[in-house]
Amino acid sequence: MNWLLVVAGAVVGAPLRFLTDRFVQSRHHTVFPWGTFTANVAGCLVLGLVTGAVTAGAASSHALLLLGTGLCGALTTYSTFSYETLRMAEGGARGQAVANVVASVTGGLGAVFIGAALARALWG
């Protein structure tokens, strides 16, 4: 039954990623992939929060499967991040490609730490 929780989360996460990307990207006219960046950082924040809640005993391991593995797994996208970075570098926007890597890694790590800290403040 655990796999059904992962599937249920992914059913919500994948369209949410697509809609987030389209919504954010339509408001920027640059080559920088703001939509993917936003989805990835938001997913990291949610994953940190959910993991912190489970660690504190405020949520069950089923919540981690549903929201962490399913929703965040489908919401975030390392493959799209990699592809968009490669496209920018090949298109001559090497500075923005490097900025995407640095911002995505630091933004994602920062978001997961903030989510975990928020969980500790709420349930720790």
Side-chain angles (χ1 to χ4, degrees):
M1 291 308 261
N2 289 343
W3 66 272
L4 283 174
L5 292 170
V6 174
V7 169
V11 164
V12 174
L16 186 59
R17 181 180 84 74
F18 176 77
L19 294 172
T20 299
D21 179 60
R22 295 296 85 206
F23 178 79
V24 173
Q25 204 61 38
S26 70
R27 281 148 180 78
H28 298 279
H29 300 290
T30 67
V31 296
F32 193 85
W34 288 109
T36 301
F37 175 80
T38 301
N40 285 343
V41 171
C44 288
L45 180 67
V46 171
L47 184 59
L49 185 62
V50 171
T51 302
V54 171
T55 301
S60 72
S61 61
H62 291 111
L64 188 57
L65 289 172
L66 176 70
L67 300 173
T69 306
L71 182 99
C72 292
L75 174 63
T76 61
T77 174
Y78 187 75
S79 58
T80 302
F81 154 73
S82 300
Y83 175 74
E84 290 172 341
T85 302
L86 177 65
R87 296 277 309 183
M88 284 189 289
E90 288 178 343
R94 291 193 173 107
Q96 289 188 324
V98 170
N100 188 38
V101 171
V102 172
S104 293
V105 172
T106 57
L109 283 172
V112 80
F113 278 109
I114 290 169
L118 185 59
R120 274 192 302 275
L122 291 171
W123 301 294

